[in-house]
Amino acid sequence: MAKIAILTVSDRASRGEYEDRGGPACEDWLRRVVTSPVEILRRITPDGRAEVAAALTDLADSWGADLILATGGTGPAPRDQTPEAVADVISFDLPGFGEAMRAANGKVVATAILSRQGAGVRGRTLIITLPGSPNAISTSLEAVFAAVPYCLDLIGAGRIETDPALVKAHRPKGA
């Protein structure tokens, strides 16, 4: 069974001053699209490079997440340091994810170019950073998720299957 962690990055949500909408939006999207058994864990962390890096490391190394979706902290505000935290903990990045997500969101809102979402790999964990807006989360995941199952296969992570009517996962023949 694959393990998927959802990390909401938000000072206000971590203090209970703001309802976390990003984490539930990620989970709802996954539960609609992923058809194979998965364990989903949601966590909230404050903004900040060290805090986010520590949470990502714990989810990947201690909990054993195959996939981490980090929502929030990808904008240009001073406390938005999710991309820097991811860079601190990954072995390599996958720039195509960010390019595809920004392109998809750019068709919806002009400010999508301000988002610094992306993806990278830590060991056998794929980490994808997403905006905090539920609508942008859905648009972002729809733009890239067809490649996620095969990426997980390639890095030795848990296998996931998708509902092809919603997201047709691309795997080469025989994979």
Side-chain angles (χ1 to χ4, degrees):
M1 177 182 317
K3 296 172 88 172
I4 302 174
I6 299 167
L7 180 64
T8 298
V9 180
S10 169
D11 284 332
R12 293 185 304 153
S14 71
R15 292 190 301 258
E17 299 169 2
Y18 176 82
E19 179 186 356
D20 172 20
R21 294 180 25 228
C26 286
E27 183 171 357
D28 291 346
W29 193 93
L30 288 167
R31 294 211 183 271
R32 273 194 343 268
V33 172
V34 176
T35 58
S36 53
V38 293
E39 181 179 354
I40 296 176
L41 172 69
R42 284 200 345 238
R43 186 181 292 176
I44 300 173
T45 189
D47 285 285
R49 187 171 184 159
E51 294 84 352
V52 174
L56 291 169
T57 300
D58 183 57
L59 290 167
D61 298 357
S62 299
W63 190 65
D66 298 293
L67 172 64
I68 299 172
L69 301 179
T71 173
T74 60
R79 293 279 296 154
D80 290 340
Q81 296 180 4
T82 299
E84 290 79 11
V86 170
D88 290 345
V89 302
I90 61 172
S91 304
F92 58 91
D93 70 337
L94 298 165
F97 278 80
E99 294 162 7
M101 291 186 283
R102 277 185 294 282
N105 282 297
K107 294 175 183 171
V108 178
V109 61
T111 55
I113 63 171
L114 300 176
S115 187
R116 301 181 305 129
Q117 71 246 37
V121 174
R122 176 184 179 86
R124 293 173 34 175
T125 304
L126 172 62
I127 300 170
I128 302 174
T129 60
L130 302 164
S133 155
N135 288 338
I137 289 167
S138 180
T139 301
S140 296
L141 289 173
E142 288 166 8
V144 300
F145 212 80
V148 169
Y150 187 51
C151 182
L152 294 175
D153 295 348
L154 290 171
I155 65 173
R159 188 172 176 95
I160 63 170
E161 302 293 342
T162 61
D163 179 344
L166 300 174
V167 172
K168 186 175 182 340
H170 174 77
R171 285 188 169 102
K173 290 182 182 175

